[in-house]
Amino acid sequence: MWPKSVVSKILGKRFGSNNFVADLSRADMETALAPEVPGLEQLSSYYDTKSLLDHRKETHNYKIFVSTWNVGGFAPGDDLSIEDWLDIRDNPCNIYVLGFQEAVPLKFSTVLGSENPTIQAKWNAVIGKSLNRTGHKQDKFHCIMSKQMVGILVTIWVPSELLACISHPSASCVGCGVMGYLGNKGSVTVRFELHGTSFCFVCTHLASGNRQADHILRNSNAAEILSRTSFPGGPSLHSSRKILDHDRVILLGDLNYQISLPEATTRSLVERSEWNKLLEHDQLKAELGNGRVLQGWQEGRIDFVPTYKYCPNSDVYYGTGHENSKGGRRRAPAWCDRIIWRGEGLKQHLYTRGESKLSDHRPVKAIFTTQVGVLLKLEGLRSFFTSQSFEQIKNVSADEISYSVARRAFKFLSVD
């Protein structure tokens, strides 16, 4: 018999849920932001007939910060600072999405044991402290979603002013590791709607290995994640259930794709900084280009040096010194850490790497802008209601609104 913890990990990761960490509970958010939903008659007293039936849209622009980092099982120390990485003073964004791999060491006890919330709490404390540092002019940032599966952790932060615009948050975990289901490899995917436009962020850690056919296993992992990720239905009938159902999708993580060259050739080109020649043999670019994985997805131009694999606390790539004699696995430099996307309405403005020496990977970040359509009549009501209450109003049918307004108009005309 398998231990209960193993069975629960296999079965529990197969379906989406609303079980995630956030700054505020749903009840607290509702109480803090707005009173209960008024009836349709009360709505008609706020707005006249014309405004209630106005279905025109205006466009809102938002900036999204996305980062991925394999931290090699190291917990953040008290002296770790990520303020320069977030760059909130000079390049502030509206939404911050940070994904981590190997947030805990990938050993037997962490893969098969219960999830430990301590590491998640430590990373969220570091992120929250940096985003809300005294002196920033931005509104206070809140963690609206944070979800961990073994070493894969994703956390999303937005300012207070956006809380009432967010609806239908959900998370889904897919394990692709041991036995094809455990979470030493796989994905943690989170989704929500912003003004009715659906966003999905897929934080992944795909199969490792630098043998000739290992990239096929990575392709298989990606296909499994797309097919097995599923979200519970929300109050809205159009709630997205699968990754590809969403309007905007960003995938980030340690995808582990290598460079299809002999190790000696790869190291020689790295030493000569011939990045373009290396990228011509990058596995992920080849697989994307040939449609063998994630067909229709996009990646920005890579103009940064390979992010893996470094000696600890060093700028030296592993395999260039005496460490080879210790029998460790050889790993040629590669762009393992990537951010790609799909969906109209996303434009990438930044794609770069950081220089933290915390692990054998360097972090990678991207900044996107996105346009979101907002119904004018709904935007006018937003300040009165919580996101959940706002969703209930949004789902009132046009016939119901028309009926209520017509009754009001009839009463007004009858007075004469």
Side-chain angles (χ1 to χ4, degrees):
M1 295 290 291
W2 285 351
K4 289 183 178 180
S5 62
V6 176
V7 175
S8 65
K9 279 177 176 283
I10 292 176
L11 297 179
K13 304 304 182 188
R14 297 179 64 182
F15 306 103
S17 74
N18 293 320
N19 181 22
F20 51 81
V21 174
D23 274 357
L24 301 174
S25 69
R26 296 251 173 102
D28 289 340
M29 290 177 69
E30 291 166 18
T31 302
L33 290 173
E36 63 179 286
V37 182
L40 286 173
E41 291 292 344
Q42 292 172 278
L43 288 180
S44 63
S45 69
Y46 287 131
Y47 293 93
D48 60 22
T49 302
K50 180 179 178 181
S51 64
L52 277 170
L53 297 179
D54 188 354
H55 289 273
R56 292 176 299 167
K57 282 188 176 183
E58 66 179 13
T59 299
H60 289 196
N61 294 310
Y62 294 99
K63 288 176 66 176
I64 304 175
F65 175 100
V66 180
S67 178
T68 179
W69 192 5
N70 184 321
V71 293
F74 291 100
D78 295 335
D79 58 344
L80 179 66
S81 173
I82 61 171
E83 287 189 46
D84 290 343
W85 182 237
L86 297 175
D87 197 20
I88 192 170
R89 292 183 184 274
D90 299 324
N91 200 3
C93 294
N94 305 104
I95 300 171
Y96 287 82
V97 181
L98 291 95
F100 302 90
Q101 303 81 43
E102 297 191 45
V104 298
L106 299 184
K107 55 186 180 180
F108 184 85
S109 59
T110 57
V111 174
L112 297 181
S114 302
E115 304 288 1
N116 185 345
T118 303
I119 294 298
Q120 184 174 199
K122 286 184 176 180
W123 277 112
N124 282 338
V126 169
I127 296 165
K129 181 179 179 181
S130 298
L131 287 174
N132 293 309
R133 177 75 67 181
T134 302
H136 289 168
K137 297 180 180 180
Q138 286 75 19
D139 204 353
K140 182 180 179 181
F141 279 88
H142 299 270
C143 175
I144 61 166
M145 300 182 72
S146 181
K147 184 68 175 178
Q148 181 180 356
M149 177 184 72
V150 188
I152 304 172
L153 167 65
V154 62
T155 179
I156 300 183
W157 297 72
V158 303
S160 300
E161 64 181 7
L162 280 190
L163 286 176
C165 308
I166 303 287
S167 63
H168 298 152
S170 186
S172 180
C173 299
V174 170
C176 298
V178 179
M179 296 182 291
Y181 277 99
L182 293 184
N184 55 307
K185 295 292 189 293
S187 65
V188 175
T189 303
V190 291
R191 59 92 59 202
F192 60 84
E193 292 185 13
L194 174 61
H195 296 298
T197 296
S198 56
F199 288 81
C200 184
F201 299 91
V202 188
C203 183
T204 63
H205 194 182
L206 303 186
S208 61
N210 58 354
R211 293 172 298 182
Q212 187 173 3
D214 282 340
H215 68 281
I216 297 175
L217 182 54
R218 292 185 268 276
N219 291 355
S220 176
N221 284 173
E224 283 279 302
I225 288 166
L226 291 181
S227 66
R228 289 168 49 198
T229 299
S230 181
F231 300 97
S236 173
L237 294 178
H238 68 275
S239 292
S240 305
R241 301 295 297 272
K242 306 293 287 183
I243 290 173
L244 298 183
D245 293 337
H246 293 79
D247 300 313
R248 319 274 193 270
V249 187
I250 298 176
L251 184 147
L252 55 142
D254 179 2
L255 307 190
N256 260 320
Y257 285 94
Q258 308 292 310
I259 296 170
S260 296
L261 288 171
E263 181 180 343
T265 304
T266 298
R267 292 189 184 279
S268 176
L269 291 172
V270 167
E271 289 174 3
R272 300 199 302 269
S273 300
E274 296 191 32
W275 314 125
N276 290 335
K277 288 186 178 181
L278 284 168
L279 286 167
E280 290 174 2
H281 300 274
D282 177 77
Q283 289 179 352
L284 179 58
K285 285 196 171 295
E287 299 303 292
L288 286 172
N290 292 321
R292 290 189 289 260
V293 69
L294 301 170
Q295 188 171 9
W297 293 63
Q298 304 178 61
E299 183 179 26
R301 175 181 171 81
I302 294 178
D303 57 7
F304 50 87
V305 304
T307 56
Y308 175 82
K309 170 178 172 75
Y310 285 91
C311 296
N313 299 309
S314 169
D315 287 322
V316 177
Y317 285 111
Y318 188 89
T320 57
H322 67 280
E323 71 280 351
N324 281 339
S325 63
K326 298 181 180 180
R329 292 184 299 171
R330 295 175 65 88
R331 288 288 185 267
W335 285 278
C336 291
D337 311 281
R338 311 287 273 268
I339 299 172
I340 61 177
W341 76 94
R342 76 182 301 273
E344 305 234 346
L346 281 173
K347 183 177 181 181
Q348 191 181 73
H349 297 273
L350 177 73
Y351 193 27
T352 189
R353 59 169 258 174
E355 299 305 327
S356 172
K357 300 180 180 62
L358 180 67
S359 77
D360 53 356
H361 290 251
R362 295 296 185 261
V364 171
K365 71 177 177 181
I367 292 179
F368 298 87
T369 55
T370 184
Q371 293 185 335
V372 174
V374 182
L375 282 174
L376 292 178
K377 70 184 181 71
L378 299 182
E379 179 64 12
L381 293 172
R382 180 175 65 84
S383 61
F384 291 101
F385 312 116
T386 66
S387 58
Q388 181 174 346
S389 301
F390 181 68
E391 192 64 31
Q392 296 177 35
I393 297 167
K394 187 172 67 175
N395 292 329
V396 172
S397 71
D399 288 343
E400 290 177 287
I401 295 177
S402 299
Y403 176 70
S404 176
V405 174
R407 286 183 58 191
R408 183 180 174 211
F410 177 77
K411 290 179 180 179
F412 176 77
L413 292 173
S414 297
V415 174
D416 293 336

